Amino acid sequence: MTEWIETFKIKFTNNFITDNRWKYLWDGLGVTLKVTFFAVLIGILLGFTIAIIRSTHDKTGKLKILDFFCRVYLTVIRGTPVVVQLLIIYFVIFASVNIDKVLVAIIAFGINSGAYVAEIVRSGIMSIDQGQMEAGRSLGFNYVQTMYYIILPQAFKNVLPALANEFIVLLKETSVSGFIALQDLTKGGDIIRGRTYDALMPLLAVALIYLVIVVLLSKGVEMMERRLRSSEH
Amino acid sequence: MNTKVLIKVKGLQKSFGTLHALNGIDAEIKTGDVTVVIGPSGSGKSTFLRCLNLLEVPTGGRIFFEGTDITDPKVDINQHRQRMGMVFQQFNLFPHMTVLNNMILAPVRLLKKRREEAVETAMELLNRVGLADRKDAYPSQLSGGQKQRIAIVRALCMQPNVMLFDEPTSALDPEMVGEVLDVMRNLAQSGMTMVVVTHEMGFAKEVGSRVIFMDEGKIVEENTPTELFGNPASERLKNFLAKVL
Ligand SMILES: Nc1ncnc2c1ncn2[C@@H]1O[C@H](COP(=O)(O)OP(=O)(O)OP(=O)(O)O)[C@@H](O)[C@H]1O
Ligand SMILES: [Mg+2]
């Protein structure tokens, strides 16, 4: 038993303490959170814009051309793996420019999550009773104002849990950032593995950190769902 | 009695694909009148009413509101809708807002009223319909009758020149119909111009200044309630009245 503890201590020291190797995980976590956070922002912006265009088209038949481009975007993004998208954006689109990899990852994951957010929000908008739009319009609000004051707040509330889950998924998906040699959390663990030739401990640590964040976020979503339900107006 | 024409409808048509819901409607709504629209299901009553504020876009004919042809595509319909209140069968209150916020949203955002001023108007109206104590409630916490009374005063907050009602009591439990009709009766007495689609023949007789009987997308008869109910001219109206009275 004591022998086992001794081995653990040595391995732990070797993997995390020596040469300040824990910093790979710490800095990597910072990158992961940064990429996720800003990708979420882009995803929301893009997703809402597309959802509004698509649902406006569905309901009124207007915005045909924009709707067409949105559908192409959705098909391409949801029909190809996110790693491939990341690689194309880094090695093809930004090939000739010297650009921060963090920024590339933010753009790639933002564009990717926008597609999923768009469909979530669109389903939220379409689930709002047509009478709400009519009530808004009958008061004299134009289409955009009715969307803004009446439809979107309700749609957003309905899809908030689904959106939150989407972002938990996104957090995990950023773990492929290593493909463009971005040192995120996963890559950080992998670098330690390369230095110490010990796979178990650094990768387990990485998994544990993701797990803790995801469990905490999921708990947050659960609480939010419960609060939304209890304030069901 | 003021006899100014507030809404003038000329040759109004509305088709949904191949279905002709309205086949040439001519009508005049005079200021201060309560015009009640009756007729069998599917006769086009709702479509007619919803054309008046262009919630349904007519496929033919013209509608003049306060002298302006609002079917003209160049007209900003949103401006005109601000002066036409509408009350729906399904209330359509905004569920994410309190009663008070339901009421002041449009005055504050569209008429650019100060919040305090809008609240004051709203509270006066709430007092009139006996719901001042529900100002902070959410729609889901109200009974059907209360919802519809709120929907009426929400429209009134815009100080419209005409109120359009599409079967305002049809979705209510019988015991709540009275409280909504009371509000509408008071509104009529206060001089509001109203167009009311309803199956409440008692209300039509008592409150209506004109009654329009529609069938198959046309106005079959139009008269004072006394004449229309007492002396129906057409077979169709006689049949209809025999069924509903
Ligand atoms: N949005 C729509 N799309 C297709 N058809 C419609 C639409 N709205 C109404 N109609 C049709 O137009 C006709 C007139 O409908 P409308 O709702 O005006 O009748 P109504 O007199 O109000 O009937 P009710 O008493 O049942 O409310 C009906 O045949 C109806 O099916
Ligand atoms: Mg109807």
Side-chain angles (χ1 to χ4, degrees), chain B residues 69-141:
Chain B
D69 179 1
I70 56 172
T71 57
D72 181 346
K74 287 196 287 283
V75 164
D76 178 9
I77 187 61
N78 301 312
Q79 292 294 325
H80 296 279
R81 282 197 187 123
Q82 292 180 12
R83 282 173 279 111
M84 310 173 107
M86 187 170 224
V87 175
F88 302 86
Q89 186 174 345
Q90 295 299 336
F91 328 126
N92 295 341
L93 294 179
F94 307 134
H96 60 304
M97 295 179 190
T98 63
V99 164
L100 200 58
N101 284 332
N102 261 276
M103 293 176 70
I104 66 172
L105 180 71
V108 169
R109 298 295 175 185
L110 293 174
L111 303 180
K112 305 294 175 200
K113 279 197 184 178
R114 279 185 306 114
R115 196 188 145 85
E116 306 84 74
E117 193 189 340
V119 167
E120 200 177 308
T121 314
M123 288 312 296
E124 268 168 35
L125 286 162
L126 280 175
N127 273 313
R128 249 165 66 184
V129 297
L131 288 171
D133 58 326
R134 306 300 278 149
K135 69 178 168 61
D136 294 319
Y138 282 89
S140 64
Q141 300 165 318

Side-chain angles (χ1 to χ4, degrees), chain A residues 104-130:
Chain A
V104 173
I106 288 172
I107 292 171
F109 290 110
I111 289 176
N112 179 267
S113 92
Y116 294 92
V117 172
E119 288 304 88
I120 293 172
V121 175
R122 186 170 78 102
S123 76
I125 293 174
M126 298 308 280
S127 75
I128 304 298
D129 187 85
Q130 183 60 24

Side-chain angles (χ1 to χ4, degrees), chain B residues 41-42 44-47 50 89 166-167 197 199:
Chain B
S41 182
K45 307 181 297 293
S46 297
T47 307
R50 292 157 57 82
Q89 186 174 345
D166 191 1
E167 301 200 30
V197 174
H199 291 297

